[in-house]
Amino acid sequence: MCGLAGMLWQPGERDGESVTADLAAMTGAIATRGPDDTGHWYDAVAGVGLGHRRLSILDLSPAGHQPMLSASGRYVMVYNGEIYNHLDLRAALEQEERAPAWRGSSDSETLLAGFDAWGIVPTIERTIGMFAIALWDRERRRLTLIRDRMGEKPLYYGWHGSGAGRMLLFGSDLKSLTVHPGFQREIDRQAVVEMLRHSAVGGDRCIWRGMHKVLPGQMVALSPGQEAVEPTIYWSIDRLAAARAQRVGADLTLADAVDQLETLLGDAVGRQMLSDVPLGAFLSGGIDSSVITALMQRGRTAPVKTFAIGFHSARYDEATHAKAVAAHLGTDHTELYVGESELLDVVPELPQIFAEPFADPSQIPTYLVAKLAREQVTVALSGDGGDELFGGYDRYRKGARLAAAMARLPLVLRQLGATAIDAMPAAMMDRALGLIRHPREGEEAGGQWLRRMADYARASDVDALHRRLLSFWAAPLGAVKGVDEEASHRLTDVHPDLDGLSPAERMMALDTGAYMVDDILTKVDRATMAVSLESRAPLLDHRIAEFAWSLPLSFRIGDMADGRSAKRVLREVLYRHVPRDLVDRPKQGFETPTGAWLRGPLRDWAEALIVPDRLSREGIFEPGPIRAMWEAHQSGRAEYRLQLWNVLMFQAWAETHLTATPGTTRAAA
């Protein structure tokens, strides 16, 4: 795993000395993404510079150094990721007698040989892997930025400066871009609204105005001075989902599906275990990580190294389940039980780990388990992707049932009912619902829960309901100054390709392109890269995704009324390796007692970040809504831990990145 950075400018406007200094600063800012090597290449005449940081995984020799030139000399590349079938690509090139004289055994060299022989798009379409690529075509003087199909690896780009000094900056991490002296640090307030709603800035948006992300399955071609771009889509989850009906085999039995999935997963795991450095796995004891670990251990005499984080509170602890699965499989298991002090110690580090505001509280244990694993291995396989592809989240079942129930009432009646509920005093609703609903610590009180149900009732269709199910702030516009409407987003856009899918399938497709990319994969990439650990996810092999979307919904989501049957076909694969009683339990996930922290050990830290005078002075947030949530949370009348955590993570990020980074800072607008 590596990190890349670069610049594209008007030819003749930069000298070699200044380009070298800028590239050194940009790659230096992302040293943890690649601590083993660094490299720079530029062509001042053409107006392009490329920088790279290397975490050596395959071909540890200097033959894997980047930036790397193709054998023909036409292409120069910096690349972050792994091509798991690169040996197959080499064999194909050799069979066609189009292979160069190989200089080493890296997948980087394989990619470049493919670009020389087959062209850019045909080569990418042949790959199995995760990647972010910046490729300079010396012949056409054109830069192509390419991101993997599922969005595992990040890639940012944007134009900065003015006049002759205007240039394109691009890279794996915003830290490498904000250190550039020409970077204009202007906050996009619509991105702040989105962050409050979803805990992350998603899609092609960025917290910095003018910056964008290359979307999964897309490539963007640019030339000096050319700012308008039209992305090329080489793979799309929406297109895949839309074609589901045409690919479902009418005679496919569940047993056939389990056989085929085990074969595909076995191949994916085997390919992703290719490494020249120590390798292990994250093991939570859940379905996804357990099936990956089981297939890693299958047929091997040496135990696979597995890692888990445990918590002293039974409500948050999964380590006992992980330990039981590890014992059954015979892995070399390491667990670390962390207390409140260890968890809290991570909080001040989060703004440096996440260079864009990010507020999923599971970022804390994710970082800790990555740090634990890095003490013994350089690569760790995970079970990421199983929930989105195989229907693991409760919202798919509950959302489908809720959508069916709401369809029985006209929207206008639902809206009137929701308005009536909003008009009722929260205390009265709490007392009334308290007789039949008894929330656990950290759960919403009755009135707060009922108001959330009322918000769901306002949804006009399945997509609107799904967005509400994923929203932490139901109305974030009122908390951010200077924004009249929310920007478009994958969860607000119209998706005609998904028409005809069931509500659950539609939500799964939307999540795969939004929540999984913007939250789950962002969290894992930043947390692992902060400790120089490469994370690989066999379930995100695009062949697995294509197979999952060829299956009937009943093979994936199971019984719509029983969460224990979720991921049905994946469970059946696991049952061949692990007894049911070790893994059959409700989904738990990485949770932290954030609400209690904000009332206890984090109270002073949080209070300092959202003092009304400070909020007014900084000019991003309206103090009123935030202080009202804070006071209700502190009193125990309501549970606003997630809403407040989103605000606090933005404030902590701003405190670090708006004051400590070189470049031009403009008033947020």
Side-chain angles (χ1 to χ4, degrees):
M1 196 55 57
C2 307
L4 64 90
M7 305 174 289
L8 193 65
W9 65 89
Q10 290 287 356
E13 295 298 328
R14 303 291 306 279
D15 60 70
E17 184 176 345
S18 66
V19 170
T20 300
D22 287 345
L23 289 174
M26 294 168 78
T27 54
I30 53 172
T32 61
R33 294 191 76 94
D36 299 326
D37 189 21
T38 187
H40 309 122
W41 177 93
Y42 68 89
D43 183 339
V45 174
V48 63
L50 304 175
H52 191 258
R53 294 293 312 208
R54 184 184 182 197
L55 176 61
S56 300
I57 304 295
L58 293 174
D59 190 352
L60 310 186
S61 75
H65 177 80
Q66 296 184 49
M68 185 180 288
L69 273 70
S70 67
S72 70
R74 176 175 176 176
Y75 296 107
V76 189
M77 182 183 72
V78 284
Y79 148 63
N80 165 26
E82 301 291 345
I83 304 301
Y84 302 122
N85 67 330
H86 90 97
L87 295 179
D88 296 339
L89 298 180
R90 285 195 173 206
L93 288 164
E94 290 165 358
Q95 186 175 10
E96 295 176 15
E97 298 184 347
R98 305 179 76 177
W102 301 112
R103 294 165 287 177
S105 58
S106 73
D107 53 354
S108 308
E109 188 180 4
T110 306
L111 272 177
L112 285 165
F115 296 147
D116 270 342
W118 299 318
I120 298 174
V121 174
T123 298
I124 292 299
E125 289 178 337
R126 291 175 181 239
T127 61
I128 300 170
M130 58 176 180
F131 45 82
I133 300 170
L135 182 71
W136 177 249
D137 184 338
R138 301 173 77 186
E139 182 179 300
R140 300 182 65 184
R141 291 195 173 185
R142 187 161 76 167
L143 175 74
T144 302
L145 303 176
I146 313 168
R147 193 174 181 192
D148 64 70
R149 296 171 180 86
M150 305 301 287
E152 292 185 71
K153 293 295 102 186
L155 189 52
Y156 295 88
Y157 70 100
W159 290 91
H160 288 262
S162 59
R166 191 158 175 79
M167 66 175 59
L168 178 83
L169 302 176
F170 57 90
S172 301
D173 194 306
L174 287 174
K175 288 194 289 283
S176 68
L177 307 181
T178 55
V179 297
H180 192 282
F183 189 89
Q184 297 166 310
R185 290 178 293 133
E186 181 181 354
I187 290 177
D188 183 341
R189 289 175 182 262
Q190 287 185 318
V192 180
V193 172
E194 185 178 320
M195 192 257 180
L196 291 191
R197 182 180 284 280
H198 297 300
S199 297
V201 180
D204 66 349
R205 300 190 70 81
C206 178
I207 193 62
W208 300 114
R209 186 178 296 279
M211 293 301 299
H212 307 279
K213 302 182 187 87
V214 179
L215 290 175
Q218 295 191 8
M219 54 181 67
V220 176
L222 306 110
S223 300
Q226 173 211 340
E227 297 197 20
V229 298
E230 186 63 38
T232 297
I233 301 173
Y234 68 88
W235 195 90
S236 164
I237 189 66
D238 285 3
R239 293 175 183 174
L240 180 66
R244 182 194 66 79
Q246 285 73 41
R247 291 194 307 276
V248 173
D251 58 348
L252 185 70
T253 66
L254 178 62
D256 291 335
V258 174
D259 288 341
Q260 292 180 35
L261 179 57
E262 185 169 24
T263 299
L264 275 172
L265 268 176
D267 182 71
V269 168
R271 290 178 183 276
Q272 296 198 21
M273 291 185 74
L274 183 64
S275 172
D276 294 331
V277 294
L279 176 145
F282 298 131
L283 178 61
S284 69
I287 300 297
D288 305 332
S289 65
S290 295
V291 76
I292 297 304
T293 303
L295 294 175
M296 291 175 71
Q297 189 63 70
R298 181 179 60 177
R300 291 175 173 80
T301 55
V304 170
K305 291 181 179 294
T306 54
F307 304 90
I309 289 288
F311 304 105
H312 297 296
S313 168
R315 178 180 175 186
Y316 303 104
D317 184 45
E318 283 191 301
T320 54
H321 307 302
K323 186 175 183 179
V325 173
H328 176 79
L329 294 174
T331 70
D332 178 5
H333 191 61
T334 299
E335 62 181 20
L336 174 66
Y337 271 81
V338 295
E340 185 175 86
S341 62
E342 291 94 339
L343 290 165
L344 293 172
D345 285 345
V346 179
V347 173
E349 300 182 46
L350 295 176
Q352 287 294 345
I353 295 171
F354 295 87
E356 188 167 34
F358 183 84
D360 182 335
S362 65
Q363 62 199 132
I364 297 174
T366 300
Y367 171 76
L368 287 171
V369 75
K371 187 177 181 181
L372 175 68
R374 188 61 177 92
E375 295 174 2
Q376 299 185 46
V377 301
T378 310
V379 177
L381 273 61
S382 78
D384 292 317
D387 288 311
E388 292 81 5
L389 293 175
F390 293 96
Y393 293 125
D394 284 344
R395 61 176 170 268
Y396 302 144
R397 288 168 294 281
K398 293 178 180 177
R401 295 197 300 269
L402 189 56
M406 292 194 312
R408 301 188 191 106
L409 280 177
L411 177 60
V412 64
L413 292 181
R414 287 188 272 123
Q415 290 175 332
L416 286 172
T419 300
I421 288 172
D422 285 345
M424 295 170 63
M428 183 178 73
M429 289 190 288
D430 289 344
R431 285 193 298 272
L433 290 173
L435 299 174
I436 57 174
R437 184 177 183 274
H438 305 285
R440 297 187 304 168
E441 179 188 351
E443 291 184 339
E444 299 167 317
Q448 189 180 356
W449 173 83
L450 188 58
R451 281 202 168 94
R452 181 161 56 86
M453 295 301 107
D455 183 58
Y456 295 163
R458 291 188 173 94
S460 57
D461 55 25
V462 171
D463 287 2
L465 173 62
H466 176 245
R467 186 176 187 232
R468 284 168 162 81
L469 289 168
L470 285 173
S471 295
F472 299 104
W473 283 67
L477 277 176
V480 181
K481 294 181 177 180
V483 186
D484 297 324
E485 61 181 5
E486 294 188 53
S488 64
H489 182 273
R490 176 172 171 80
L491 299 181
T492 61
D493 292 342
V494 177
H495 298 277
D497 287 349
L498 304 182
D499 291 347
L501 295 180
S502 69
E505 288 175 310
R506 195 174 179 97
M507 288 186 278
M508 290 163 66
L510 290 171
D511 273 359
T512 304
Y515 173 74
M516 184 183 79
V517 178
D518 304 333
D519 188 308
I520 303 300
L521 299 184
T522 296
K523 173 185 65 181
V524 172
D525 175 81
R526 307 309 190 270
T528 54
M529 286 287 91
V531 296
S532 303
L533 177 76
E534 174 172 300
S535 176
R536 298 177 177 177
L539 286 165
L540 294 181
D541 184 313
H542 72 277
R543 299 170 302 161
I544 304 294
E546 290 168 357
F547 176 75
W549 276 101
S550 75
L551 298 174
L553 180 61
S554 62
F555 284 13
R556 291 189 283 167
I557 209 165
D559 185 346
M560 292 292 286
D562 181 10
R564 290 175 183 264
S565 72
K567 296 184 277 196
R568 184 182 182 190
V569 66
L570 197 59
R571 283 177 183 269
E572 293 296 334
V573 173
L574 180 59
Y575 294 156
R576 295 179 174 183
H577 304 275
V578 176
R580 290 172 182 255
D581 60 353
L582 292 185
V583 292
D584 271 359
R585 62 183 184 277
K587 182 176 176 59
Q588 187 168 345
F590 263 173
E591 289 189 47
T592 56
T594 317
W597 289 351
L598 294 179
R599 295 186 183 101
L602 286 181
R603 180 169 181 166
D604 291 345
W605 166 81
E607 179 72 60
L609 289 171
I610 57 172
V611 171
D613 288 348
R614 175 174 179 166
L615 294 176
S616 297
R617 182 175 65 254
E618 291 172 343
I620 298 293
F621 293 119
E622 294 284 358
I626 293 168
R627 296 302 303 184
M629 279 190 177
W630 175 252
E631 290 163 9
H633 184 83
Q634 291 302 321
S635 71
R637 298 193 311 271
E639 182 62 40
Y640 286 124
R641 67 188 187 283
L642 297 177
Q643 294 91 332
L644 290 167
W645 192 251
N646 289 0
V647 174
L648 293 166
M649 282 295 95
F650 177 87
Q651 288 292 91
W653 171 87
E655 189 172 61
T656 299
H657 293 276
L658 286 179
T659 59
T661 308
T664 303
T665 302
R666 294 183 179 179

